[in-house]
Protein backbone atom coordinates (compact mmCIF):
# COMPACT_ATOMS: atom_id res chain seq x y z
CA UNK A 1 0.00 0.00 0.00
CA UNK A 2 0.91 3.63 -0.02
CA UNK A 3 3.86 4.76 2.06
CA UNK A 4 1.70 7.66 3.25
CA UNK A 5 -0.09 5.43 5.75
CA UNK A 6 3.17 4.15 7.19
CA UNK A 7 4.67 7.65 7.32
CA UNK A 8 1.52 8.96 9.00
CA UNK A 9 1.50 6.15 11.58
CA UNK A 10 5.19 6.66 12.38
CA UNK A 11 4.73 10.41 12.77
CA UNK A 12 1.87 9.98 15.23
CA UNK A 13 3.80 7.26 17.09
CA UNK A 14 6.88 9.46 17.36
CA UNK A 15 4.78 12.38 18.59
CA UNK A 16 3.25 10.23 21.32
CA UNK A 17 6.68 9.02 22.42
CA UNK A 18 8.00 12.56 22.47
CA UNK A 19 5.07 13.71 24.59
CA UNK A 20 5.66 10.81 27.02
CA UNK A 21 9.33 11.77 27.26
CA UNK A 22 8.48 15.39 28.07
CA UNK A 23 5.54 14.63 30.36
CA UNK A 24 7.51 12.19 32.47
CA UNK A 25 10.41 14.64 32.71
CA UNK A 26 13.26 12.43 31.55
CA UNK A 27 16.58 14.25 31.50
CA UNK A 28 18.36 11.47 29.68
CA UNK A 29 17.12 9.94 26.45
CA UNK A 30 18.94 6.69 27.21
CA UNK A 31 17.03 6.18 30.47
CA UNK A 32 13.78 6.89 28.62
CA UNK A 33 14.49 4.11 26.10
CA UNK A 34 15.56 1.70 28.85
CA UNK A 35 12.28 2.24 30.71
CA UNK A 36 10.10 1.87 27.61
CA UNK A 37 8.53 -1.60 27.57
CA UNK A 38 7.21 -3.65 24.69
CA UNK A 39 3.75 -3.13 26.16
CA UNK A 40 4.31 0.65 25.95
CA UNK A 41 5.38 0.35 22.31
CA UNK A 42 2.33 -1.77 21.44
CA UNK A 43 0.08 0.70 23.24
CA UNK A 44 1.54 3.66 21.32
CA UNK A 45 1.29 1.87 17.96
CA UNK A 46 -2.36 1.05 18.71
CA UNK A 47 -3.07 4.64 19.76
CA UNK A 48 -1.30 5.96 16.65
CA UNK A 49 -3.25 3.64 14.34
CA UNK A 50 -6.52 4.88 15.83
CA UNK A 51 -5.49 8.45 14.89
CA UNK A 52 -4.64 7.69 11.24
CA UNK A 53 -7.36 9.41 9.25
CA UNK A 54 -9.77 7.41 7.14
CA UNK A 55 -9.01 9.75 4.25
CA UNK A 56 -5.35 8.70 4.34
CA UNK A 57 -6.30 5.03 4.03
CA UNK A 58 -8.88 5.75 1.32
CA UNK A 59 -6.32 7.66 -0.72
CA UNK A 60 -3.99 4.67 -0.55
CA UNK A 61 -6.64 2.31 -1.82
CA UNK A 62 -7.55 4.71 -4.62
CA UNK A 63 -3.94 4.70 -5.73
CA UNK A 64 -3.89 0.90 -5.78
CA UNK A 65 -7.29 0.29 -7.37
CA UNK A 66 -7.36 3.05 -9.97
CA UNK A 67 -6.17 2.40 -13.46
CA UNK A 68 -3.53 4.64 -14.99
CA UNK A 69 -5.97 6.36 -17.37
CA UNK A 70 -8.40 7.41 -14.62
CA UNK A 71 -5.94 7.68 -11.78
CA UNK A 72 -7.05 9.86 -8.92
CA UNK A 73 -4.20 12.05 -7.73
CA UNK A 74 -3.36 11.54 -4.08
CA UNK A 75 -2.36 14.50 -2.01
CA UNK A 76 -1.42 13.25 1.44
CA UNK A 77 -1.04 16.34 3.58
CA UNK A 78 -1.67 14.43 6.81
CA UNK A 79 2.02 13.90 7.58
CA UNK A 80 2.87 17.54 6.93
CA UNK A 81 -0.02 18.55 9.18
CA UNK A 82 1.19 16.22 11.94
CA UNK A 83 4.74 17.52 11.65
CA UNK A 84 3.45 21.09 12.07
CA UNK A 85 1.44 19.91 15.09
CA UNK A 86 4.55 18.37 16.67
CA UNK A 87 6.44 21.63 16.17
CA UNK A 88 3.55 23.60 17.72
CA UNK A 89 3.47 21.22 20.71
CA UNK A 90 7.21 21.58 21.22
CA UNK A 91 6.95 25.35 21.11
CA UNK A 92 4.19 25.27 23.73
CA UNK A 93 6.43 23.20 25.98
CA UNK A 94 9.31 25.71 25.69
CA UNK A 95 11.76 22.98 24.72
CA UNK A 96 12.13 23.69 21.04
CA UNK A 97 14.80 26.34 20.87
CA UNK A 98 16.80 24.33 18.31
CA UNK A 99 13.93 22.50 16.62
CA UNK A 100 12.84 23.44 13.13
CA UNK A 101 10.54 21.79 10.58
CA UNK A 102 13.41 19.81 9.04
CA UNK A 103 14.33 18.32 12.43
CA UNK A 104 10.69 17.33 13.05
CA UNK A 105 10.52 15.63 9.65
CA UNK A 106 13.64 13.60 10.43
Amino acid sequence: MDQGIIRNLKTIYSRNLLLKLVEEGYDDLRSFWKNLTIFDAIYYVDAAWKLVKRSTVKKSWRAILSDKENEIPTNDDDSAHLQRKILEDLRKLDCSENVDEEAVEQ
Side-chain angles (χ1 to χ4, degrees):
M1 288 188 64
D2 189 51
Q3 290 293 317
I5 295 173
I6 296 167
R7 183 177 53 246
N8 193 262
L9 179 73
K10 288 169 103 175
T11 302
I12 296 168
Y13 176 81
S14 299
R15 178 177 181 259
N16 289 344
L17 284 179
L18 179 63
L19 289 174
K20 178 181 171 86
L21 172 89
V22 172
E23 287 172 358
E24 293 188 6
Y26 282 95
D27 293 331
D28 180 19
L29 192 57
R30 184 171 293 185
S31 64
F32 171 74
W33 286 116
K34 283 184 178 182
N35 290 322
L36 191 71
T37 65
I38 292 173
F39 179 76
D40 292 329
I42 292 169
Y43 172 79
Y44 285 114
V45 168
D46 178 57
W49 178 249
K50 289 175 182 173
L51 294 174
V52 172
K53 293 181 180 179
R54 293 177 137 229
S55 61
T56 302
V57 177
K58 284 182 180 180
K59 288 175 188 175
S60 300
W61 281 107
R62 279 191 216 138
I64 292 170
L65 298 175
S66 66
D67 59 0
K68 293 296 178 188
E69 294 173 1
N70 299 317
E71 189 168 329
I72 300 168
T74 59
N75 182 4
D76 188 7
D77 292 330
D78 292 339
S79 290
H81 171 73
L82 286 168
Q83 289 171 359
R84 284 191 301 275
K85 179 72 174 140
I86 290 171
L87 194 56
E88 288 172 15
D89 290 344
L90 287 172
R91 288 183 178 144
K92 287 177 189 173
L93 294 170
D94 291 330
C95 62
S96 64
E97 55 272 350
N98 294 323
V99 179
D100 58 10
E101 289 183 31
E102 183 178 331
V104 171
E105 184 176 329
Q106 291 177 355

